[in-house]
Amino acid sequence: MVSPVLYIAVPLAVAFLLPLTGRGTSAGRRGAGRELQAAVLLFVLGSSLLWLRTFVAGAAPVVVSTGGWPPPLGINLRLGATESLLVALAAATALGVSVHAMLARPRGTAEGETVGHDRRPTLELLMFVGAAGLIMTRDVFNMFVFLEVSSIATYALAVAGEEGRGLEAGFKYMFLGAVGSVFILVSIAFLYRMTGTLNLDGMAAALSGAAPGIVGVALSFLLAGMAVELKLFPLNGPAIDLYEGVSPSVMALVGGTTVNAALYAFWKMQSLFAAVQWTYVIAAVGVVGFVVANALAVRQKSVRRMLGYSTSAQLGLAVFLLPFVATGFVSGRAVVLLIVNHTLCKAGLLWFAGAHGGETRRDWREAFARSPFAALAMTALVLGIAGLPPFPGFWGKWEALTALAGTAHAWWIAPVLAGSLLEFVYYFGWLRQMHSRGAEVSEKARADTSASPDAPVGPRPAFSYVFAAASLAVGLWFMRDLTGPVATPAFVLGAAGLLLLALRALPGRLLGAAALVAVAAAGWVLYSGGHAAPNETGGLFLAIVLGGSLMAAIAALGAAPARRSYHGLFLLLVSSLVLLVGSRTLLGFFVAWELMTWTSYLLVAEGRRASRGAYIYMLFSGAAGFLVFGGLLLLEGAGLTLLGAGGMAASLAAGTGTAVAWAAVLLGAGFAVKAASAGFHVWAPDAYSEAPDVFSAFLSGVVSKMPVFGLVLLGARLVEGAGPAGELLASLRATFGGVDPAYVLAWVGGVTALGMTILAALQEDAKRLLAYSSVGQIGYVVVGLAMLTPLGWSAALYHTVNHLLIKLLLFLAVAGVIHRTGTRNMHEMGGLIKKMPASYISVLIGIIALSGVPPLSGFAGKWLVYSALIEKGWYFIAGVTMFASPVAFLYLFRLIHNIFLGQLKPEHREVREAPLALLIPQGALVLAIMGLSMFPDALLKAVAGITGPVFGATGVSLLADGSLSVSLGYLNAFGVMSMVMALFALFFAFILFVGPKTKKVKQLDMVYSAELPPGPSEIHYSYDFYRPYKRAFAPLLRVSFVSGWGRVARAAAAVADAGRRFYSGDAQVYLVYAVAFLVVVALVRVVF
Amino acid sequence: MTQGTLYLASALILILIGLACALMRRNLLRMVLGFAIMDTGVHLLIATAGFLPGRTAPIIDDPSLLAGAGGRTAAADPSALLVAAERVVDPVPQALVLTAIVIGVGVTALMLAYVVRLFAREGTLDVSAFRRLKW
């Protein structure tokens, strides 16, 4: 093993040798400077990774005393696991910069030619040396020296580029940085005076006995100085200017070397701060920085500045955690993971930013449209930096926040989650521009952009791919903790998905077939190989997931989405859903939940005009995710679980359940948002309608069932052991001043059921209609679950499966129609019954089943819901849901009438039946609905397996003849079905053989008197079909949630815009902030 | 007022003068100058940190005390060396100050180089001219 001293000595020596290699080279011939630099960095990277391996294996950290003097006389360097990892990260980033510079050469860029020879390799190595020294040294003054080495290299590198604005940014950055160093020096002088040593460990030991006042002032100086170096809010102004002014490649290097090293130095200094209890001050500085910097980035249009704010925020998060690490609440591994994540993802994104060259977010429209792998890597990096699994940042956040959740510091979690959501807003806003493609971008907008998607301005960001892969690999390594009965098949499925993404050059049909085979194989393995779900609930939902996936995979062969990443992403989504329903730990549940969130988001974004819908979907799903996260953290902190019996109920019964009650409310709210309940439904219409047609079916049929799964788990934990009187629920009510959260949820569900049904009736777009319908139907399920009675649950779970079958069927049938006609507007269709009879039958069966009239399966579902509501005594909600039922007829009628009946449009005369691949799943679903209609008891038997253990009763008795019996009556579905079928057969025979003959009238019998027909509003009766109803509901419709949320977004944006004025751009104003920061911190320490 | 307090006070006053200059003068050169004054104050502060009243500079030049090569090995008479050490101030801050001065000079020089190039580009030294990057 090489000595750690060499990590400083060798690059330093080479740095000063490099100018020699460049001398005397004529134009056109270059020196070997870059190669030498890369070789040195490769040496450091390799050997530090070897060191890391030995440390991870359990070796003790190496301590080297320079010059043979032990501390406190000499300076000692320490190399442990964290140090070697950070050195490796710094070397890797610098290597990336070096390699990119080499790749850029053949393009003939004027690299360094204007300044005689290229100084950049030297400066970059110096920056690395400073960082490596700062990471390893244990001497306070030595830290200052290395910090200065690294900083001066940064200042010099800022002007080594060609851009004029780098000069201004560099000066401001240097000016504040120099004052920050002065602050640090002042504090070192004081600290040395008080402790008599410069060694970090000795100093910390001596500090605990020192006079608090002077220590407070000295540490205030240290904190202010380090806040400048770490670019924390409010001292991040010049750093953000630097991001805008200097090439992104330099900023990637700064992030990987100087910034990380300064952060680690601050980490080491925590022992000083901890000696005098500074936990809250530092945590507050960190968390405020995290939230504010993220909030200010929301409206930042310049991509580079946005990345600057993000860096500031990420460092704030790490700084927030450091005092808790020092006091033993949080493990250091969590912070290391966050650092690794941020370094890799931010450097990767910065290199992409440099390669693409788009200044503002709008310039990124259609970015990488022709290079799918770049788009993929870029997406992965954004997912990583947003802290989504499986990237390392997710594991870091989970580990840190769960550790805090069980302590008195739990309330710090709220701002961290809020800040994380803000991060989603701007990162996915950026990605949204990239996803907007083709039809969405007008010619004018295209002319406005400064960057062309096909001609990258910078070198190819080879290391962006490397870093994306590295961060994915590190993250995936943590997935191995998620063992469980379904984990292995799910992982194989996920791996198949990644493989399909990699093989996207293959023909779409081949990819689709491979996806179908993978889904079928996974289903077979899960059912035959004994990989059963951990419990009955999981079993039912696993069946839902696998059945729905199989249907969607077959259908995807017929109406293949335009983009070929669809199939790989679909497998990833299915894999996450399998993981979700089979999860055994809260961590496993949440990992799968977030995987589901982003995979489904990317699938929605595959639609042709879906960038906006997908973005809104991601924001609401992200918010739902953070609510769920908060609830799970509270549970994890209390040592409870959601996934098995016991825990929550016992805790509530013991009267110690305030945290549990809040966990229940957060989880319930999160699931309700994800289920698009009224008020939060605004994401659903756009996402459902703009997603690829086949995927809409899956989204509505299967993905929308996952919040239902969550609610079932939550309800089961709240009810089990409560007894018939439900004392536990009483104690839950008591926490919220007598308000029963379940009753609130029931009303939310009822309002959703009615409101969405009304809105569905007023749509012109068939998919939007189905979207509102889907959300409304989930409303019924929510009502059923919120009752927390066995009958209510039976109704809800029955309806869940029923809705899965019906919505898959309807969405697939409509997908076929859209595939053939090329439009989603119902008033542009009509008379298709002759052309697409099979699709017509699917829709007919679907709407009969959905409307809840006998004899099809919907009737049993509605009957169970109403019975349960009446049994429960919630008559008002029963009234609301009953009123929603006839309203549903209105939209269901439109679906069949506007599309299939009436007159055929001339342009549709050549339309054929939907592709076979779409009809096969429809046929299967029709059969399944028929089966369920005749034998609802078969499903209810499975449902009883869930309700029985939870309630001790099932609420529905299954009689010997297959009838269902509840407290209010009984239903013999088979008898009803047989009777109606017989009547139908008679009636049909009558029409066919006895009734009058029909006379066929061709459409062109009718003419427009030689006039050109005006728009659809004038002549087409199926346009704005329910205008009278629209007028009747007008007061209700004026309460537009869409514009309400829009107003919230605009207000937040205005605040963020105003907040950014804080950074006036004036070097002296920035200095005032630094002094004010110092004074405030010192006052806080002296006064409190 | 003891000697030590006097040094401390002058160091702090120098720092404040420098800070005021850097904060209030709109001329880039004066801002750099302000930084240099502040830096000097800090150097004095560090030197003060090792100051002990009535002692001399930490230089031991008596050859008899430094028998070992370069002082690395034990002196001929360790106790005499200890006595000599009792007569000098703390040497560590003096070493620090040397380093800090070198770094300070480097930073000041680089800042001035920036100022030269900014002036060459914009033809002015007014800091208000350099506010194009903001928000």
Side-chain angles (χ1 to χ4, degrees):
Chain A
M1 288 289 175
V2 297
S3 161
V5 180
L6 293 183
Y7 294 159
I8 298 168
V10 174
L12 194 63
V14 173
F16 288 117
L17 284 176
L18 280 182
L20 300 180
T21 66
R23 290 266 177 249
T25 52
S26 56
R29 234 195 90 232
R30 305 196 58 95
R34 283 291 180 192
E35 282 77 5
L36 197 54
Q37 181 201 26
V40 172
L41 291 167
L42 210 54
F43 151 73
V44 175
L45 176 63
S47 62
S48 59
L49 283 177
L50 284 179
W51 271 118
L52 178 62
R53 210 179 59 178
T54 59
F55 292 133
V56 169
V62 180
V63 179
V64 182
S65 301
T66 51
W69 295 96
L73 292 181
I75 292 168
N76 57 340
L77 302 176
R78 181 178 179 276
L79 190 74
T82 312
E83 285 91 349
S84 54
L85 180 61
L86 289 175
V87 169
L89 272 181
T93 323
L95 188 62
V97 172
S98 182
V99 168
H100 289 163
M102 282 193 255
L103 289 177
R105 269 186 210 165
R107 290 171 168 274
T109 52
E111 194 201 14
E113 279 167 21
T114 49
V115 288
H117 76 279
D118 196 356
R119 290 172 204 153
R120 276 178 279 182
T122 305
L123 293 171
E124 287 159 13
L125 275 184
L126 283 180
M127 214 148 130
F128 171 78
V129 167
L134 192 51
I135 290 165
M136 291 189 292
T137 184
R138 303 294 295 177
D139 180 279
V140 174
F141 191 77
N142 202 221
M143 277 187 193
F144 166 77
V145 173
F146 279 123
L147 192 62
E148 287 301 299
V149 170
S150 204
S151 300
I152 291 175
T154 312
Y155 306 146
L157 209 49
V159 275
E162 64 295 331
E163 286 176 274
R165 52 188 183 175
L167 206 55
E168 177 192 328
F171 179 77
K172 286 193 255 181
Y173 184 69
M174 181 171 192
F175 187 62
L176 194 68
V179 174
S181 316
V182 165
F183 286 174
I184 294 174
L185 264 188
V186 168
S187 90
I188 290 177
F190 276 119
L191 289 171
Y192 178 73
R193 178 75 183 170
M194 279 180 289
T195 61
T197 177
L198 287 171
N199 182 270
L200 202 57
D201 310 297
M203 202 179 250
L207 259 192
S208 38
I214 307 196
V215 175
V217 173
L219 290 183
S220 302
F221 270 99
L222 190 58
L223 179 56
M226 288 311 288
V228 171
E229 304 297 341
L230 289 172
K231 306 150 179 45
L232 295 181
F233 172 84
L235 309 183
N236 51 355
I240 290 166
D241 292 344
L242 197 68
Y243 266 87
E244 189 181 356
V246 176
S247 97
S249 182
V250 171
M251 291 323 290
L253 185 63
V254 172
T257 57
T258 316
V259 170
N260 276 355
L263 182 63
Y264 190 61
F266 192 57
W267 187 344
K268 290 188 278 190
M269 290 172 191
Q270 291 304 310
S271 58
L272 307 181
F273 291 106
V276 286
Q277 277 109 37
W278 273 59
T279 306
Y280 284 112
V281 179
I282 296 172
V285 167
V287 87
V288 167
F290 179 61
V291 175
V292 175
N294 274 333
L296 296 182
V298 163
R299 285 278 286 180
Q300 179 52 261
K301 292 198 175 68
S302 155
V303 166
R304 289 192 196 176
R305 287 187 80 84
M306 186 189 87
L307 290 172
Y309 281 108
S310 157
T311 300
S312 183
Q314 293 277 336
L315 285 167
L317 182 61
V319 165
F320 157 71
L321 290 172
L322 287 181
F324 296 111
V325 173
T327 46
F329 283 104
V330 175
S331 80
R333 193 175 75 155
V335 182
V336 170
L337 283 171
L338 287 175
I339 294 176
V340 169
N341 188 64
H342 178 238
T343 310
L344 294 177
C345 295
K346 184 56 67 61
L349 286 174
L350 279 166
W351 285 325
F352 268 128
H356 181 268
E359 282 282 326
T360 68
R361 277 193 237 173
R362 271 167 194 273
D363 294 339
W364 283 71
R365 277 183 178 146
E366 297 188 290
F368 307 125
R370 304 274 162 75
S371 37
F373 282 105
L376 218 55
M378 170 93 191
T379 307
L381 291 166
V382 167
L383 294 172
I385 207 153
L388 287 165
F391 295 93
F394 171 82
W395 306 101
K397 238 179 223 177
W398 173 270
E399 190 164 333
L401 295 186
T402 43
L404 284 181
T407 70
H409 304 298
W411 57 274
W412 289 101
I413 292 172
V416 173
L417 295 186
S420 303
L421 182 60
L422 291 169
E423 216 163 33
F424 273 41
V425 176
Y426 60 88
Y427 270 119
F428 288 101
W430 186 23
L431 215 51
R432 170 191 168 183
Q433 297 297 341
M434 202 181 87
H435 283 148
S436 67
R437 51 179 78 101
E440 275 179 297
V441 184
S442 66
E443 284 304 318
K444 184 181 175 305
R446 218 171 257 146
D448 286 347
T449 53
S450 64
S452 125
D454 300 325
V457 299
R460 282 172 56 83
F463 259 63
S464 286
Y465 300 94
V466 176
F467 276 22
S471 108
L472 186 64
V474 172
L476 285 177
W477 192 69
F478 282 85
M479 291 286 278
R480 86 210 133 86
D481 292 344
L482 304 181
T483 52
V486 303
T488 315
F491 288 162
V492 173
L493 207 52
L498 289 177
L499 188 67
L500 288 197
L501 281 179
L503 297 176
R504 47 162 294 142
L506 295 178
R509 273 179 190 279
L510 196 59
L511 293 173
L516 175 59
V517 169
V519 168
W524 187 75
V525 167
L526 281 165
Y527 275 102
S528 69
H531 292 284
N535 47 46
E536 287 287 341
T537 318
L540 178 68
F541 282 87
L542 185 63
I544 290 177
V545 167
L546 289 175
S549 311
L550 198 61
M551 296 297 136
I554 298 172
L557 291 174
R563 298 179 70 81
R564 278 179 296 198
S565 26
Y566 175 86
H567 303 288
L569 288 171
F570 180 70
L571 283 190
L572 286 181
L573 173 60
V574 174
S575 135
S576 74
L577 294 175
V578 170
L579 264 186
L580 183 68
V581 297
S583 55
R584 301 194 135 181
T585 60
L586 293 185
L587 174 60
F589 181 86
F590 191 57
V591 168
W593 183 271
E594 292 291 65
L595 286 174
M596 167 186 82
T597 299
W598 70 254
T599 45
S600 55
Y601 154 71
L602 291 179
L603 280 162
V604 172
E606 293 283 301
R608 264 178 303 172
R609 292 163 174 268
S611 69
R612 178 172 177 275
Y615 176 56
I616 296 173
Y617 173 72
M618 189 62 196
L619 291 192
F620 276 87
S621 293
F626 286 119
L627 285 170
V628 171
F629 196 9
L632 293 179
L633 284 174
L634 286 176
L635 286 185
E636 185 87 19
L640 304 172
T641 181
L642 191 63
L643 305 153
M648 285 177 84
S651 172
L652 275 174
T656 56
T658 314
V660 178
W662 277 107
V665 167
L666 285 175
L667 287 169
F671 295 140
V673 172
K674 183 71 185 169
S677 296
F680 303 101
H681 65 275
V682 296
W683 61 264
D686 283 341
Y688 281 69
S689 60
E690 299 298 346
D693 296 335
V694 173
F695 184 63
S696 298
F698 192 73
L699 200 57
S700 162
V702 178
V703 178
S704 74
K705 301 302 178 293
M706 293 305 120
V708 173
F709 174 62
L711 283 173
V712 170
L713 290 178
L714 176 65
R717 297 297 85 78
L718 290 177
V719 172
E720 62 196 358
E727 311 90 29
L728 292 179
L729 296 170
S731 82
L732 186 65
R733 239 192 324 271
T735 313
F736 300 102
V739 179
D740 182 355
Y743 190 58
V744 174
L745 187 64
W747 265 109
V748 169
V751 170
T752 309
L754 177 60
M756 298 309 120
T757 308
I758 294 172
L759 287 171
L762 304 177
Q763 302 305 315
E764 295 302 327
D765 178 332
K767 282 178 75 183
R768 280 183 91 83
L769 182 152
L770 285 175
Y772 278 111
S773 157
S774 173
V775 173
Q777 295 297 318
I778 299 294
Y780 282 101
V781 174
V782 170
V783 171
L785 290 177
M787 277 184 262
L788 294 174
T789 62
L791 184 54
W793 274 40
S794 299
L797 290 170
Y798 176 88
H799 197 59
T800 301
V801 176
N802 194 24
H803 181 243
L804 160 83
L805 301 174
I806 297 168
K807 271 293 147 49
L808 276 176
L809 176 62
L810 286 177
F811 263 114
L812 288 181
V814 167
V817 172
I818 293 169
H819 185 65
R820 289 301 190 213
T821 62
T823 175
R824 297 201 307 243
N825 290 328
M826 288 182 293
H827 62 78
E828 291 173 22
M829 305 173 185
L832 289 172
I833 180 168
K834 291 274 174 55
K835 301 289 175 188
M836 312 182 82
S839 300
Y840 167 75
I841 291 172
S842 294
V843 173
L844 185 65
I845 297 291
I847 66 166
I848 294 175
L850 190 62
S851 61
V853 293
L856 292 190
S857 55
F859 175 67
K862 292 264 164 80
W863 179 71
L864 284 170
V865 171
Y866 300 146
S867 302
L869 278 167
I870 292 166
E871 186 193 79
K872 176 90 178 174
W874 286 355
Y875 302 116
F876 279 112
I877 298 179
V880 168
T881 51
M882 279 185 187
F883 181 56
S885 226
V887 179
F889 284 125
L890 296 180
Y891 73 75
L892 292 170
F893 175 66
R894 281 197 76 177
L895 212 49
I896 198 109
H897 174 272
N898 293 5
I899 298 178
F900 291 104
L901 306 181
Q903 290 176 332
L904 188 68
K905 295 278 184 299
E907 63 266 31
H908 294 157
R909 253 177 290 168
E910 303 304 320
V911 162
R912 284 174 297 138
E913 177 59 273
L916 188 63
L918 278 173
L919 293 178
I920 291 172
Q922 287 176 38
L925 288 163
V926 166
L927 287 180
I929 290 173
M930 290 298 186
L932 184 61
S933 305
M934 280 190 275
F935 308 108
D937 49 322
L939 174 58
L940 284 167
K941 242 175 240 158
V943 168
I946 298 173
T947 52
V950 172
F951 294 97
T954 59
V956 190
S957 327
L958 306 172
L959 304 182
D961 64 347
S963 304
L964 320 176
S965 165
V966 303
S967 57
L968 298 171
Y970 77 97
L971 166 69
N972 184 340
F974 187 74
V976 172
M977 181 81 171
S978 322
M979 204 158 69
V980 173
M981 291 293 252
L983 286 174
F984 179 77
L986 275 177
F987 182 65
F988 196 64
F990 175 81
I991 289 183
L992 218 55
F993 301 115
V994 185
K997 291 278 172 281
T998 51
K999 178 174 183 288
K1000 289 187 177 152
V1001 183
K1002 282 266 164 57
Q1003 182 182 21
L1004 294 183
D1005 292 356
M1006 178 184 82
V1007 293
Y1008 297 116
S1009 307
E1011 280 182 39
L1012 218 57
S1017 52
E1018 295 298 321
I1019 56 146
H1020 203 291
Y1021 63 93
S1022 71
Y1023 181 81
D1024 208 3
F1025 201 61
Y1026 291 122
R1027 195 178 296 162
Y1029 292 109
K1030 206 183 217 169
R1031 290 200 187 125
F1033 284 121
L1036 208 62
L1037 293 172
R1038 228 172 279 142
V1039 190
S1040 165
F1041 282 99
V1042 176
S1043 65
W1045 281 105
R1047 229 168 280 148
V1048 169
R1050 272 193 299 279
V1055 170
D1057 263 346
R1060 277 209 327 279
R1061 309 271 147 169
F1062 179 72
Y1063 300 107
S1064 70
D1066 191 307
Q1068 288 181 325
V1069 172
Y1070 292 151
L1071 184 55
V1072 169
Y1073 294 157
V1075 175
F1077 181 84
L1078 170 69
V1079 170
V1080 169
V1081 169
L1083 279 181
V1084 165
R1085 279 320 292 176
V1086 173
V1087 175
F1088 302 106
Chain B
M1 187 185 273
T2 67
Q3 217 175 342
T5 324
L6 183 66
Y7 293 153
L8 186 66
S10 12
L12 293 179
I13 288 170
L14 270 179
I15 292 175
L16 286 178
I17 290 174
L19 188 62
C21 179
L23 269 178
M24 292 154 79
R25 298 290 163 171
R26 302 294 283 173
N27 184 309
L28 289 180
L29 273 179
R30 286 172 196 238
M31 284 166 65
V32 175
L33 222 75
F35 165 74
I37 295 172
M38 205 173 7
D39 216 28
T40 313
V42 175
H43 298 156
L44 185 54
L45 185 73
I46 298 173
T48 311
F51 173 75
L52 296 165
R55 296 204 189 179
T56 179
I59 303 167
I60 297 173
D61 48 1
D62 185 352
S64 67
L65 292 175
L66 302 167
R72 184 74 69 88
T73 57
D77 182 3
S79 60
L81 185 58
L82 278 179
V83 170
E86 286 292 316
R87 285 202 299 269
V88 300
V89 299
D90 187 349
V92 174
Q94 311 235 340
L96 300 190
V97 134
L98 284 177
T99 318
I101 288 173
V102 171
I103 292 175
V105 168
V107 171
T108 314
L110 193 53
M111 266 197 206
L112 289 173
Y114 260 105
V115 172
V116 168
R117 287 185 67 172
L118 283 172
F119 184 77
R121 212 183 151 75
E122 301 287 337
T124 173
L125 285 175
D126 189 352
V127 69
S128 322
F130 306 103
R131 288 194 296 208
R132 243 161 297 160
L133 302 172
K134 56 189 170 188
W135 302 335

